[in-house]
Amino acid sequence: MTGTGAVGPRPDGGGPGIRVDVALRWGDMDAYGHVNNVRVVSILEEARIQAFGVPTGTGAAGDPAPVSLLDGVPDTVWTLIAEHRVRYRRPLEYRNVPAQVWVWVAEAKGASIEVAYSVRDGVDGTECVTATTTMVFVDSATGRPVRLSEAQRDSLSRFR
């Protein structure tokens, strides 16, 4: 298994995941040579979009996502972030090599999905960050939650 979009066993042995390589930028560094904590959340966002696709009504068409979680979501439904939880296990030092981010679905509820991540050093594979993001689907007109479709549940079932 190599590179972005590869689907396979996670390095932690916990089941299947999607590997996404996210480039680090020189400006991502803090004064200590580590990737800044704010940038880490941006890395999670980049990995989530590359793994699951671009939310409806945003951006332009590009390469298909390895897991088409957001395909078929109506334009009237927003995909919003309700929560991030980030645990820094060791510093993610700046390198000119992309970080390896493993993404998978930890839990799927009625109108939300918990996405899990393992951010690893691109050279030695050491786990630097673990995190989860709760994504919710909301009707843009009413602000009410929208339940996951059967197609979305089927797509997610292989990544838990």
Side-chain angles (χ1 to χ4, degrees):
M1 168 184 319
T2 60
T4 292
V7 177
R10 299 190 317 257
D12 65 3
I18 304 159
R19 177 180 160 180
V20 177
D21 293 341
V22 178
L24 302 176
R25 300 175 307 185
W26 180 260
D28 296 340
M29 254 191 307
D30 62 18
Y32 300 108
H34 307 141
V35 174
N36 181 278
N37 66 315
V38 173
R39 177 61 181 138
V40 167
V41 174
S42 294
I43 290 169
L44 302 178
E45 177 184 55
E46 290 296 326
R48 186 176 60 253
I49 296 298
Q50 287 184 48
F52 296 131
V54 176
T56 304
T58 64
D63 290 335
V67 176
S68 57
L69 171 65
L70 301 176
D71 288 352
V73 173
D75 289 340
T76 58
V77 174
W78 291 338
T79 305
L80 303 177
I81 303 303
E83 180 179 26
H84 291 297
R85 281 173 275 148
V86 182
R87 181 172 200 142
Y88 300 94
R89 304 219 172 258
R90 72 166 271 236
L92 176 59
E93 295 185 55
Y94 171 79
R95 296 181 185 268
N96 64 352
V97 174
Q100 298 172 5
V101 184
W102 289 85
V103 183
W104 66 96
V105 176
E107 190 173 4
K109 298 180 181 176
S112 68
I113 298 167
E114 186 173 285
V115 178
Y117 314 83
S118 172
V119 180
R120 294 175 175 264
D121 182 283
V123 173
D124 65 17
T126 301
E127 185 172 66
C128 299
V129 176
T130 57
T132 59
T133 297
T134 303
M135 292 176 30
V136 295
F137 299 95
V138 176
D139 184 289
S140 62
T142 66
R144 297 179 61 85
V146 175
R147 295 186 69 75
L148 296 170
S149 69
E150 278 304 313
Q152 287 171 314
R153 287 186 190 284
D154 288 345
S155 178
L156 294 173
S157 65
R158 65 184 187 147
F159 292 100
R160 285 196 231 162

